[in-house]
Amino acid sequence: MTKGEQARLVAWRLKVLQQAEAEQNVARVCRRFGISRKSFYKWKGRRAEHGDAGLCDRPRTPHRSPRATARA
């Protein structure tokens, strides 16, 4: 994903969160934007913890591989 695409995605997620804050009805906003409430609350929690940077996609690679071959 390019930086421009990532920026548009963050802006869209921020718009969803702001709209829900203004309307005070999460279910209605989620239906309008076509997302699940689970995703909405995941984004909301990440934004509360990390600010707007938390709305970026996270890498899908694992943090560690317990069965990986040793470097030596």
Short mmCIF file of all heavy atoms in Angstrom, two decimals:
data_model
loop_
_atom_site.label_atom_id
_atom_site.label_comp_id
_atom_site.label_asym_id
_atom_site.label_seq_id
_atom_site.Cartn_x
_atom_site.Cartn_y
_atom_site.Cartn_z
N MET A 1 0.85 -1.17 0.00
CA MET A 1 0.00 0.00 0.00
C MET A 1 0.90 1.24 0.00
O MET A 1 1.81 1.35 0.81
CB MET A 1 -0.90 -0.04 1.24
CG MET A 1 -1.85 1.11 1.32
SD MET A 1 -3.00 1.02 2.71
CE MET A 1 -4.13 -0.20 2.12
N THR A 2 0.61 2.15 -0.89
CA THR A 2 1.42 3.36 -0.98
C THR A 2 1.06 4.33 0.15
O THR A 2 0.04 4.17 0.82
CB THR A 2 1.21 4.07 -2.33
OG1 THR A 2 -0.14 4.52 -2.39
CG2 THR A 2 1.51 3.14 -3.49
N LYS A 3 1.91 5.32 0.32
CA LYS A 3 1.66 6.31 1.38
C LYS A 3 0.37 7.09 1.12
O LYS A 3 -0.36 7.43 2.05
CB LYS A 3 2.84 7.26 1.51
CG LYS A 3 4.04 6.63 2.14
CD LYS A 3 5.14 7.64 2.35
CE LYS A 3 6.34 6.98 2.99
NZ LYS A 3 7.40 7.95 3.28
N GLY A 4 0.08 7.37 -0.15
CA GLY A 4 -1.15 8.08 -0.49
C GLY A 4 -2.39 7.27 -0.16
O GLY A 4 -3.37 7.79 0.39
N GLU A 5 -2.35 5.99 -0.48
CA GLU A 5 -3.48 5.11 -0.16
C GLU A 5 -3.66 4.99 1.35
O GLU A 5 -4.78 4.99 1.85
CB GLU A 5 -3.26 3.73 -0.77
CG GLU A 5 -3.32 3.70 -2.28
CD GLU A 5 -2.87 2.37 -2.85
OE1 GLU A 5 -2.11 1.64 -2.17
OE2 GLU A 5 -3.27 2.07 -3.98
N GLN A 6 -2.54 4.87 2.05
CA GLN A 6 -2.59 4.78 3.51
C GLN A 6 -3.17 6.05 4.12
O GLN A 6 -3.98 6.01 5.04
CB GLN A 6 -1.18 4.51 4.07
CG GLN A 6 -1.15 4.26 5.54
CD GLN A 6 -1.64 2.87 5.92
OE1 GLN A 6 -2.51 2.29 5.29
NE2 GLN A 6 -1.10 2.36 6.97
N ALA A 7 -2.80 7.20 3.57
CA ALA A 7 -3.32 8.48 4.07
C ALA A 7 -4.82 8.59 3.83
O ALA A 7 -5.56 9.07 4.70
CB ALA A 7 -2.59 9.64 3.40
N ARG A 8 -5.29 8.14 2.65
CA ARG A 8 -6.73 8.16 2.38
C ARG A 8 -7.49 7.24 3.31
O ARG A 8 -8.58 7.57 3.79
CB ARG A 8 -7.00 7.78 0.92
CG ARG A 8 -6.77 8.91 -0.06
CD ARG A 8 -7.32 8.59 -1.44
NE ARG A 8 -6.68 7.45 -2.06
CZ ARG A 8 -5.54 7.47 -2.74
NH1 ARG A 8 -4.90 8.62 -2.88
NH2 ARG A 8 -5.03 6.39 -3.27
N LEU A 9 -6.91 6.07 3.61
CA LEU A 9 -7.54 5.12 4.51
C LEU A 9 -7.65 5.70 5.92
O LEU A 9 -8.71 5.60 6.56
CB LEU A 9 -6.74 3.82 4.54
CG LEU A 9 -7.28 2.70 5.42
CD1 LEU A 9 -8.61 2.20 4.87
CD2 LEU A 9 -6.29 1.57 5.50
N VAL A 10 -6.59 6.33 6.39
CA VAL A 10 -6.61 6.95 7.72
C VAL A 10 -7.64 8.07 7.76
O VAL A 10 -8.39 8.19 8.74
CB VAL A 10 -5.20 7.46 8.11
CG1 VAL A 10 -5.25 8.34 9.34
CG2 VAL A 10 -4.26 6.29 8.32
N ALA A 11 -7.70 8.88 6.71
CA ALA A 11 -8.68 9.98 6.66
C ALA A 11 -10.10 9.44 6.68
O ALA A 11 -10.98 10.00 7.36
CB ALA A 11 -8.45 10.82 5.42
N TRP A 12 -10.34 8.34 5.96
CA TRP A 12 -11.69 7.75 5.93
C TRP A 12 -12.07 7.20 7.29
O TRP A 12 -13.19 7.41 7.77
CB TRP A 12 -11.74 6.65 4.87
CG TRP A 12 -13.08 6.02 4.75
CD1 TRP A 12 -14.18 6.54 4.13
CD2 TRP A 12 -13.50 4.76 5.28
NE1 TRP A 12 -15.23 5.67 4.23
CE2 TRP A 12 -14.83 4.57 4.94
CE3 TRP A 12 -12.83 3.79 6.00
CZ2 TRP A 12 -15.54 3.44 5.30
CZ3 TRP A 12 -13.54 2.65 6.36
CH2 TRP A 12 -14.88 2.49 6.01
N ARG A 13 -11.15 6.50 7.94
CA ARG A 13 -11.43 5.95 9.27
C ARG A 13 -11.67 7.07 10.27
O ARG A 13 -12.55 6.97 11.13
CB ARG A 13 -10.27 5.07 9.73
CG ARG A 13 -10.21 3.76 8.98
CD ARG A 13 -9.02 2.93 9.39
NE ARG A 13 -9.02 1.66 8.68
CZ ARG A 13 -8.03 0.78 8.71
NH1 ARG A 13 -6.95 1.04 9.43
NH2 ARG A 13 -8.11 -0.34 8.03
N LEU A 14 -10.91 8.14 10.17
CA LEU A 14 -11.11 9.29 11.04
C LEU A 14 -12.48 9.91 10.81
O LEU A 14 -13.18 10.29 11.76
CB LEU A 14 -10.00 10.32 10.81
CG LEU A 14 -9.96 11.51 11.74
CD1 LEU A 14 -9.80 11.07 13.18
CD2 LEU A 14 -8.82 12.43 11.35
N LYS A 15 -12.90 9.99 9.56
CA LYS A 15 -14.22 10.52 9.23
C LYS A 15 -15.32 9.66 9.85
O LYS A 15 -16.30 10.18 10.39
CB LYS A 15 -14.39 10.56 7.71
CG LYS A 15 -15.71 11.09 7.23
CD LYS A 15 -15.76 11.09 5.71
CE LYS A 15 -17.13 11.51 5.21
NZ LYS A 15 -17.20 11.47 3.75
N VAL A 16 -15.17 8.34 9.80
CA VAL A 16 -16.15 7.44 10.40
C VAL A 16 -16.24 7.68 11.90
O VAL A 16 -17.34 7.81 12.46
CB VAL A 16 -15.79 5.96 10.11
CG1 VAL A 16 -16.66 5.02 10.91
CG2 VAL A 16 -15.90 5.65 8.63
N LEU A 17 -15.09 7.77 12.57
CA LEU A 17 -15.09 8.00 14.02
C LEU A 17 -15.70 9.34 14.39
O LEU A 17 -16.46 9.44 15.36
CB LEU A 17 -13.65 7.90 14.55
CG LEU A 17 -13.01 6.51 14.50
CD1 LEU A 17 -11.54 6.61 14.87
CD2 LEU A 17 -13.73 5.55 15.40
N GLN A 18 -15.39 10.38 13.63
CA GLN A 18 -15.94 11.70 13.91
C GLN A 18 -17.45 11.73 13.67
O GLN A 18 -18.19 12.37 14.43
CB GLN A 18 -15.24 12.75 13.06
CG GLN A 18 -13.82 13.01 13.48
CD GLN A 18 -13.07 13.90 12.52
OE1 GLN A 18 -13.47 14.09 11.37
NE2 GLN A 18 -11.95 14.45 12.97
N GLN A 19 -17.91 11.05 12.64
CA GLN A 19 -19.34 11.01 12.34
C GLN A 19 -20.10 10.31 13.47
O GLN A 19 -21.16 10.77 13.88
CB GLN A 19 -19.59 10.28 11.01
CG GLN A 19 -21.01 10.33 10.53
CD GLN A 19 -21.42 11.72 10.10
OE1 GLN A 19 -20.60 12.47 9.57
NE2 GLN A 19 -22.66 12.06 10.29
N ALA A 20 -19.54 9.23 13.98
CA ALA A 20 -20.18 8.51 15.09
C ALA A 20 -20.20 9.36 16.36
O ALA A 20 -21.17 9.34 17.11
CB ALA A 20 -19.45 7.20 15.35
N GLU A 21 -19.14 10.12 16.57
CA GLU A 21 -19.10 11.01 17.73
C GLU A 21 -20.16 12.10 17.62
O GLU A 21 -20.81 12.46 18.60
CB GLU A 21 -17.71 11.63 17.83
CG GLU A 21 -17.48 12.42 19.08
CD GLU A 21 -16.05 12.95 19.14
OE1 GLU A 21 -15.12 12.17 18.94
OE2 GLU A 21 -15.90 14.16 19.39
N ALA A 22 -20.36 12.61 16.42
CA ALA A 22 -21.34 13.68 16.22
C ALA A 22 -22.78 13.16 16.33
O ALA A 22 -23.64 13.83 16.88
CB ALA A 22 -21.13 14.33 14.86
N GLU A 23 -23.02 11.97 15.79
CA GLU A 23 -24.38 11.42 15.77
C GLU A 23 -24.79 10.72 17.05
O GLU A 23 -25.97 10.57 17.32
CB GLU A 23 -24.52 10.40 14.62
CG GLU A 23 -24.94 11.03 13.33
CD GLU A 23 -25.35 9.99 12.32
OE1 GLU A 23 -26.05 9.03 12.67
OE2 GLU A 23 -24.97 10.16 11.16
N GLN A 24 -23.81 10.22 17.81
CA GLN A 24 -24.09 9.48 19.03
C GLN A 24 -24.83 8.17 18.77
O GLN A 24 -25.55 7.67 19.63
CB GLN A 24 -24.90 10.34 20.03
CG GLN A 24 -24.20 11.59 20.48
CD GLN A 24 -22.99 11.28 21.35
OE1 GLN A 24 -23.05 10.40 22.18
NE2 GLN A 24 -21.91 11.99 21.14
N ASN A 25 -24.70 7.61 17.56
CA ASN A 25 -25.33 6.33 17.23
C ASN A 25 -24.36 5.52 16.37
O ASN A 25 -24.31 5.67 15.16
CB ASN A 25 -26.66 6.56 16.51
CG ASN A 25 -27.46 5.29 16.39
OD1 ASN A 25 -26.91 4.20 16.36
ND2 ASN A 25 -28.77 5.44 16.33
N VAL A 26 -23.61 4.65 17.02
CA VAL A 26 -22.57 3.88 16.34
C VAL A 26 -23.17 2.91 15.32
O VAL A 26 -22.65 2.78 14.21
CB VAL A 26 -21.70 3.13 17.37
CG1 VAL A 26 -20.73 2.18 16.69
CG2 VAL A 26 -20.96 4.12 18.25
N ALA A 27 -24.23 2.22 15.68
CA ALA A 27 -24.81 1.23 14.78
C ALA A 27 -25.25 1.86 13.46
O ALA A 27 -25.01 1.29 12.38
CB ALA A 27 -26.00 0.54 15.45
N ARG A 28 -25.86 3.01 13.52
CA ARG A 28 -26.33 3.68 12.30
C ARG A 28 -25.16 4.11 11.42
O ARG A 28 -25.19 3.94 10.20
CB ARG A 28 -27.18 4.90 12.66
CG ARG A 28 -27.79 5.56 11.44
CD ARG A 28 -28.63 6.78 11.79
NE ARG A 28 -29.63 6.46 12.79
CZ ARG A 28 -30.07 7.31 13.71
NH1 ARG A 28 -29.60 8.54 13.76
NH2 ARG A 28 -31.00 6.96 14.58
N VAL A 29 -24.12 4.66 12.03
CA VAL A 29 -22.95 5.09 11.28
C VAL A 29 -22.26 3.89 10.64
O VAL A 29 -21.85 3.94 9.48
CB VAL A 29 -21.97 5.88 12.19
CG1 VAL A 29 -20.67 6.15 11.48
CG2 VAL A 29 -22.63 7.18 12.63
N CYS A 30 -22.14 2.80 11.37
CA CYS A 30 -21.51 1.58 10.82
C CYS A 30 -22.29 1.04 9.64
O CYS A 30 -21.70 0.62 8.64
CB CYS A 30 -21.36 0.51 11.90
SG CYS A 30 -20.12 0.93 13.14
N ARG A 31 -23.61 1.06 9.72
CA ARG A 31 -24.43 0.62 8.57
C ARG A 31 -24.22 1.54 7.38
O ARG A 31 -24.10 1.08 6.25
CB ARG A 31 -25.90 0.61 8.96
CG ARG A 31 -26.37 -0.67 9.60
CD ARG A 31 -27.88 -0.77 9.63
NE ARG A 31 -28.54 0.38 10.25
CZ ARG A 31 -28.77 0.50 11.56
NH1 ARG A 31 -28.37 -0.44 12.39
NH2 ARG A 31 -29.38 1.56 12.03
N ARG A 32 -24.17 2.84 7.62
CA ARG A 32 -24.00 3.80 6.53
C ARG A 32 -22.67 3.61 5.81
O ARG A 32 -22.59 3.68 4.59
CB ARG A 32 -24.10 5.22 7.06
CG ARG A 32 -23.97 6.26 5.95
CD ARG A 32 -24.08 7.70 6.42
NE ARG A 32 -25.20 7.89 7.32
CZ ARG A 32 -25.11 8.53 8.49
NH1 ARG A 32 -23.97 9.03 8.89
NH2 ARG A 32 -26.16 8.68 9.26
N PHE A 33 -21.60 3.36 6.57
CA PHE A 33 -20.28 3.22 5.97
C PHE A 33 -19.95 1.78 5.59
O PHE A 33 -18.91 1.52 4.99
CB PHE A 33 -19.21 3.77 6.92
CG PHE A 33 -19.18 5.26 6.98
CD1 PHE A 33 -19.83 5.96 7.98
CD2 PHE A 33 -18.49 5.99 6.02
CE1 PHE A 33 -19.80 7.34 8.04
CE2 PHE A 33 -18.45 7.37 6.06
CZ PHE A 33 -19.11 8.05 7.08
N GLY A 34 -20.81 0.84 5.96
CA GLY A 34 -20.61 -0.56 5.58
C GLY A 34 -19.49 -1.25 6.32
O GLY A 34 -18.76 -2.05 5.74
N ILE A 35 -19.35 -0.96 7.61
CA ILE A 35 -18.34 -1.63 8.41
C ILE A 35 -19.00 -2.30 9.61
O ILE A 35 -20.15 -2.01 9.94
CB ILE A 35 -17.26 -0.63 8.92
CG1 ILE A 35 -17.89 0.43 9.83
CG2 ILE A 35 -16.52 0.01 7.76
CD1 ILE A 35 -16.88 1.27 10.57
N SER A 36 -18.26 -3.19 10.25
CA SER A 36 -18.80 -3.85 11.44
C SER A 36 -18.53 -2.98 12.67
O SER A 36 -17.59 -2.17 12.68
CB SER A 36 -18.15 -5.22 11.63
OG SER A 36 -16.79 -5.09 11.95
N ARG A 37 -19.33 -3.19 13.69
CA ARG A 37 -19.10 -2.45 14.93
C ARG A 37 -17.80 -2.89 15.59
O ARG A 37 -17.13 -2.11 16.25
CB ARG A 37 -20.28 -2.62 15.88
CG ARG A 37 -21.47 -1.77 15.44
CD ARG A 37 -22.60 -1.86 16.41
NE ARG A 37 -23.13 -3.22 16.34
CZ ARG A 37 -24.07 -3.70 17.14
NH1 ARG A 37 -24.56 -2.94 18.09
NH2 ARG A 37 -24.52 -4.92 17.00
N LYS A 38 -17.42 -4.15 15.37
CA LYS A 38 -16.16 -4.66 15.90
C LYS A 38 -14.99 -3.85 15.34
O LYS A 38 -14.08 -3.45 16.07
CB LYS A 38 -16.01 -6.13 15.57
CG LYS A 38 -14.78 -6.77 16.13
CD LYS A 38 -14.74 -8.25 15.80
CE LYS A 38 -13.47 -8.88 16.35
NZ LYS A 38 -13.39 -10.31 16.06
N SER A 39 -15.01 -3.63 14.03
CA SER A 39 -13.94 -2.82 13.40
C SER A 39 -13.96 -1.40 13.94
O SER A 39 -12.91 -0.81 14.21
CB SER A 39 -14.10 -2.80 11.89
OG SER A 39 -13.88 -4.07 11.35
N PHE A 40 -15.16 -0.84 14.07
CA PHE A 40 -15.28 0.53 14.58
C PHE A 40 -14.64 0.66 15.95
O PHE A 40 -13.84 1.56 16.18
CB PHE A 40 -16.76 0.94 14.66
CG PHE A 40 -16.96 2.26 15.34
CD1 PHE A 40 -16.82 3.45 14.64
CD2 PHE A 40 -17.26 2.34 16.70
CE1 PHE A 40 -16.98 4.67 15.27
CE2 PHE A 40 -17.43 3.54 17.33
CZ PHE A 40 -17.29 4.72 16.61
N TYR A 41 -14.96 -0.25 16.86
CA TYR A 41 -14.43 -0.15 18.21
C TYR A 41 -12.93 -0.47 18.25
O TYR A 41 -12.21 0.05 19.10
CB TYR A 41 -15.21 -1.04 19.16
CG TYR A 41 -16.56 -0.44 19.50
CD1 TYR A 41 -17.74 -1.02 19.05
CD2 TYR A 41 -16.65 0.73 20.23
CE1 TYR A 41 -18.97 -0.46 19.33
CE2 TYR A 41 -17.87 1.32 20.52
CZ TYR A 41 -19.02 0.71 20.07
OH TYR A 41 -20.24 1.29 20.36
N LYS A 42 -12.45 -1.30 17.32
CA LYS A 42 -11.01 -1.55 17.22
C LYS A 42 -10.30 -0.26 16.84
O LYS A 42 -9.29 0.12 17.46
CB LYS A 42 -10.75 -2.64 16.17
CG LYS A 42 -9.28 -2.93 15.94
CD LYS A 42 -9.08 -4.06 14.95
CE LYS A 42 -9.56 -3.68 13.58
NZ LYS A 42 -9.23 -4.72 12.57
N TRP A 43 -10.82 0.47 15.84
CA TRP A 43 -10.22 1.73 15.41
C TRP A 43 -10.31 2.77 16.52
O TRP A 43 -9.38 3.53 16.75
CB TRP A 43 -10.89 2.26 14.16
CG TRP A 43 -10.79 1.37 12.98
CD1 TRP A 43 -9.89 0.39 12.76
CD2 TRP A 43 -11.65 1.38 11.84
NE1 TRP A 43 -10.13 -0.22 11.55
CE2 TRP A 43 -11.20 0.38 10.96
CE3 TRP A 43 -12.74 2.14 11.47
CZ2 TRP A 43 -11.81 0.11 9.75
CZ3 TRP A 43 -13.36 1.88 10.26
CH2 TRP A 43 -12.89 0.88 9.41
N LYS A 44 -11.44 2.80 17.21
CA LYS A 44 -11.63 3.77 18.29
C LYS A 44 -10.62 3.53 19.41
O LYS A 44 -10.02 4.48 19.93
CB LYS A 44 -13.06 3.66 18.83
CG LYS A 44 -13.39 4.69 19.87
CD LYS A 44 -14.83 4.60 20.30
CE LYS A 44 -15.13 5.61 21.38
NZ LYS A 44 -16.53 5.55 21.80
N GLY A 45 -10.41 2.28 19.76
CA GLY A 45 -9.43 1.95 20.80
C GLY A 45 -8.01 2.29 20.39
O GLY A 45 -7.23 2.82 21.18
N ARG A 46 -7.67 1.98 19.14
CA ARG A 46 -6.33 2.31 18.65
C ARG A 46 -6.10 3.82 18.62
O ARG A 46 -5.02 4.30 18.94
CB ARG A 46 -6.12 1.75 17.25
CG ARG A 46 -5.91 0.27 17.22
CD ARG A 46 -5.63 -0.16 15.81
NE ARG A 46 -5.54 -1.59 15.69
CZ ARG A 46 -5.44 -2.22 14.53
NH1 ARG A 46 -5.42 -1.54 13.39
NH2 ARG A 46 -5.36 -3.53 14.48
N ARG A 47 -7.13 4.57 18.24
CA ARG A 47 -6.99 6.03 18.20
C ARG A 47 -6.83 6.59 19.61
O ARG A 47 -6.04 7.51 19.84
CB ARG A 47 -8.18 6.67 17.51
CG ARG A 47 -8.01 8.16 17.38
CD ARG A 47 -9.09 8.77 16.53
NE ARG A 47 -8.86 10.19 16.40
CZ ARG A 47 -9.82 11.10 16.56
NH1 ARG A 47 -11.04 10.75 16.81
NH2 ARG A 47 -9.54 12.38 16.44
N ALA A 48 -7.57 6.03 20.57
CA ALA A 48 -7.45 6.49 21.96
C ALA A 48 -6.06 6.20 22.50
O ALA A 48 -5.51 6.99 23.27
CB ALA A 48 -8.51 5.81 22.82
N GLU A 49 -5.48 5.08 22.09
CA GLU A 49 -4.18 4.69 22.61
C GLU A 49 -3.01 5.35 21.89
O GLU A 49 -2.05 5.79 22.52
CB GLU A 49 -4.02 3.17 22.51
CG GLU A 49 -2.79 2.62 23.18
CD GLU A 49 -2.74 1.11 23.14
OE1 GLU A 49 -3.79 0.47 22.93
OE2 GLU A 49 -1.63 0.57 23.30
N HIS A 50 -3.10 5.46 20.54
CA HIS A 50 -1.97 5.93 19.75
C HIS A 50 -2.24 7.23 18.98
O HIS A 50 -1.38 7.67 18.23
CB HIS A 50 -1.55 4.87 18.73
CG HIS A 50 -1.18 3.56 19.34
ND1 HIS A 50 -0.02 3.37 20.06
CD2 HIS A 50 -1.83 2.38 19.37
CE1 HIS A 50 0.04 2.13 20.48
NE2 HIS A 50 -1.05 1.50 20.08
N GLY A 51 -3.40 7.80 19.11
CA GLY A 51 -3.72 9.00 18.34
C GLY A 51 -4.08 8.63 16.91
O GLY A 51 -4.41 7.48 16.60
N ASP A 52 -4.00 9.59 16.00
CA ASP A 52 -4.36 9.34 14.61
C ASP A 52 -3.45 8.31 13.95
O ASP A 52 -3.85 7.63 13.01
CB ASP A 52 -4.34 10.64 13.81
CG ASP A 52 -5.50 11.57 14.19
OD1 ASP A 52 -6.42 11.10 14.88
OD2 ASP A 52 -5.46 12.73 13.77
N ALA A 53 -2.22 8.16 14.42
CA ALA A 53 -1.30 7.17 13.86
C ALA A 53 -1.80 5.75 14.10
O ALA A 53 -1.44 4.83 13.36
CB ALA A 53 0.09 7.35 14.46
N GLY A 54 -2.63 5.56 15.10
CA GLY A 54 -3.18 4.23 15.40
C GLY A 54 -4.18 3.75 14.37
O GLY A 54 -4.55 2.58 14.36
N LEU A 55 -4.64 4.64 13.49
CA LEU A 55 -5.61 4.26 12.47
C LEU A 55 -4.96 3.64 11.24
O LEU A 55 -5.66 3.16 10.35
CB LEU A 55 -6.44 5.48 12.05
CG LEU A 55 -7.29 6.10 13.16
CD1 LEU A 55 -8.00 7.34 12.64
CD2 LEU A 55 -8.29 5.11 13.71
N CYS A 56 -3.64 3.63 11.16
CA CYS A 56 -2.93 2.99 10.05
C CYS A 56 -3.05 1.48 10.16
O CYS A 56 -3.22 0.93 11.25
CB CYS A 56 -1.45 3.37 10.07
SG CYS A 56 -1.12 5.09 9.77
N ASP A 57 -2.95 0.81 9.03
CA ASP A 57 -2.91 -0.65 9.04
C ASP A 57 -1.63 -1.11 9.69
O ASP A 57 -0.57 -0.50 9.53
CB ASP A 57 -2.98 -1.20 7.61
CG ASP A 57 -4.38 -1.23 7.06
OD1 ASP A 57 -5.34 -1.13 7.86
OD2 ASP A 57 -4.53 -1.37 5.84
N ARG A 58 -1.72 -2.19 10.42
CA ARG A 58 -0.54 -2.76 11.06
C ARG A 58 0.01 -3.87 10.20
O ARG A 58 -0.72 -4.52 9.45
CB ARG A 58 -0.91 -3.31 12.43
CG ARG A 58 -1.32 -2.21 13.38
CD ARG A 58 -1.56 -2.76 14.75
NE ARG A 58 -1.87 -1.68 15.67
CZ ARG A 58 -2.21 -1.87 16.92
NH1 ARG A 58 -2.30 -3.10 17.39
NH2 ARG A 58 -2.47 -0.86 17.70
N PRO A 59 1.32 -4.13 10.29
CA PRO A 59 1.90 -5.21 9.50
C PRO A 59 1.34 -6.56 9.94
O PRO A 59 1.05 -6.77 11.12
CB PRO A 59 3.40 -5.12 9.77
CG PRO A 59 3.56 -4.26 10.96
CD PRO A 59 2.33 -3.43 11.08
N ARG A 60 1.20 -7.47 8.99
CA ARG A 60 0.63 -8.78 9.30
C ARG A 60 1.69 -9.83 9.61
O ARG A 60 1.36 -10.97 9.93
CB ARG A 60 -0.20 -9.23 8.11
CG ARG A 60 -1.38 -8.28 7.87
CD ARG A 60 -2.19 -8.76 6.73
NE ARG A 60 -2.86 -10.00 7.14
CZ ARG A 60 -4.00 -10.42 6.64
NH1 ARG A 60 -4.58 -9.72 5.72
NH2 ARG A 60 -4.53 -11.54 7.05
N THR A 61 2.96 -9.46 9.54
CA THR A 61 4.02 -10.41 9.83
C THR A 61 4.07 -10.70 11.32
O THR A 61 3.81 -9.81 12.14
CB THR A 61 5.39 -9.87 9.37
OG1 THR A 61 5.64 -8.63 10.02
CG2 THR A 61 5.42 -9.67 7.86
N PRO A 62 4.42 -11.91 11.70
CA PRO A 62 4.49 -12.23 13.13
C PRO A 62 5.66 -11.53 13.81
O PRO A 62 6.67 -11.22 13.17
CB PRO A 62 4.68 -13.75 13.14
CG PRO A 62 5.23 -14.10 11.82
CD PRO A 62 4.71 -13.06 10.86
N HIS A 63 5.53 -11.30 15.10
CA HIS A 63 6.59 -10.65 15.86
C HIS A 63 7.78 -11.58 16.06
O HIS A 63 8.91 -11.15 16.16
CB HIS A 63 6.08 -10.17 17.21
CG HIS A 63 5.07 -9.07 17.10
ND1 HIS A 63 5.42 -7.80 16.72
CD2 HIS A 63 3.73 -9.06 17.29
CE1 HIS A 63 4.33 -7.04 16.69
NE2 HIS A 63 3.30 -7.78 17.03
N ARG A 64 7.51 -12.87 16.13
CA ARG A 64 8.58 -13.85 16.29
C ARG A 64 8.13 -15.17 15.69
O ARG A 64 6.94 -15.42 15.53
CB ARG A 64 8.96 -14.03 17.74
CG ARG A 64 7.85 -14.59 18.60
CD ARG A 64 8.27 -14.68 20.07
NE ARG A 64 7.34 -15.50 20.82
CZ ARG A 64 7.44 -16.81 20.99
NH1 ARG A 64 8.46 -17.46 20.49
NH2 ARG A 64 6.54 -17.48 21.69
N SER A 65 9.10 -16.03 15.36
CA SER A 65 8.82 -17.37 14.84
C SER A 65 9.50 -18.38 15.75
O SER A 65 10.73 -18.55 15.67
CB SER A 65 9.34 -17.52 13.42
OG SER A 65 8.59 -16.76 12.54
N PRO A 66 8.76 -19.05 16.58
CA PRO A 66 9.39 -19.97 17.55
C PRO A 66 10.08 -21.16 16.87
O PRO A 66 10.99 -21.74 17.44
CB PRO A 66 8.24 -20.42 18.43
CG PRO A 66 7.01 -20.10 17.68
CD PRO A 66 7.34 -18.98 16.75
N ARG A 67 9.68 -21.53 15.66
CA ARG A 67 10.28 -22.67 14.98
C ARG A 67 11.33 -22.28 13.94
O ARG A 67 11.75 -23.09 13.13
CB ARG A 67 9.20 -23.50 14.32
CG ARG A 67 8.25 -24.14 15.30
CD ARG A 67 7.19 -24.92 14.56
NE ARG A 67 6.26 -25.49 15.50
CZ ARG A 67 6.09 -26.80 15.65
NH1 ARG A 67 6.79 -27.63 14.92
NH2 ARG A 67 5.22 -27.24 16.52
N ALA A 68 11.74 -21.04 13.94
CA ALA A 68 12.70 -20.56 12.95
C ALA A 68 14.07 -21.21 13.18
O ALA A 68 14.47 -21.51 14.30
CB ALA A 68 12.84 -19.06 13.03
N THR A 69 14.79 -21.41 12.10
CA THR A 69 16.13 -21.97 12.17
C THR A 69 17.09 -20.89 12.70
O THR A 69 17.00 -19.74 12.32
CB THR A 69 16.60 -22.40 10.76
OG1 THR A 69 15.62 -23.28 10.21
CG2 THR A 69 17.95 -23.09 10.83
N ALA A 70 17.99 -21.32 13.56
CA ALA A 70 18.96 -20.38 14.14
C ALA A 70 19.85 -19.80 13.05
O ALA A 70 20.13 -20.45 12.05
CB ALA A 70 19.81 -21.08 15.19
N ARG A 71 20.33 -18.56 13.22
CA ARG A 71 21.16 -17.90 12.22
C ARG A 71 22.51 -18.58 12.04
O ARG A 71 23.10 -18.55 10.98
CB ARG A 71 21.38 -16.44 12.59
CG ARG A 71 20.15 -15.62 12.47
CD ARG A 71 20.46 -14.16 12.82
NE ARG A 71 19.27 -13.36 12.85
CZ ARG A 71 18.96 -12.45 11.93
NH1 ARG A 71 19.79 -12.22 10.94
NH2 ARG A 71 17.85 -11.76 12.03
N ALA A 72 23.03 -19.15 13.09
CA ALA A 72 24.37 -19.76 13.04
C ALA A 72 24.43 -21.05 12.28
O ALA A 72 23.83 -21.69 11.68
CB ALA A 72 24.87 -20.05 14.44
#
